[in-house]
Amino acid sequence: MRLPGSDLRGGFLPALLDIVGASSVTIDAEARVWHTGGKSTPDLIRLRSGDGSAAPDVIVTAGSHEQVLEIITPCSQHRIALVPFGGCSSVVGGLAWSRSGQ
């Protein structure tokens, strides 16, 4: 599986750790692949062909609504996209995003 490197700018990762704690933040490759896209046909074809280019840089498991609200601030400050994952059940491409911002 081809994955891009994580792009965790400046103090972004420490800010996440302060909000949710180390046990709720992961950047390991397997977790990043698991959280790539949804279950649409294009998502599944991309993953089965070994293309992990849409893998998130980090996976954060918020424990409360308040933590979700707090996470938005460092994402905005560091210009990092925040993509809600939910149940990984989107079959219409609703989890698609672009690293280039386009």
Side-chain angles (χ1 to χ4, degrees):
M1 176 72 58
R2 298 175 307 278
L3 293 177
S6 288
D7 181 14
L8 302 175
R9 302 174 193 129
F12 181 69
L13 188 56
L16 290 178
L17 295 172
D18 285 345
I19 295 167
V20 298
S23 64
S24 296
V25 176
T26 185
I27 59 172
D28 86 31
E30 183 177 345
R32 291 177 63 211
V33 168
W34 178 252
H35 288 83
T36 300
K39 299 294 184 194
S40 70
T41 299
D43 290 334
L44 296 174
I45 290 170
R46 207 173 14 258
L47 284 174
R48 288 184 182 198
S49 71
D51 179 1
S53 62
D57 293 326
V58 60
I59 294 91
V60 180
T61 306
S64 67
H65 176 75
E66 290 74 23
Q67 284 183 340
V68 172
L69 294 175
E70 287 183 63
I71 290 166
I72 293 170
T73 299
C75 288
S76 177
Q77 290 171 339
H78 294 275
R79 300 190 47 81
I80 293 177
L82 174 64
V83 180
F85 183 72
C88 181
S89 59
S90 174
V91 294
V92 295
L95 297 175
W97 66 283
S98 168
R99 287 185 181 282
S100 67
Q102 299 296 319

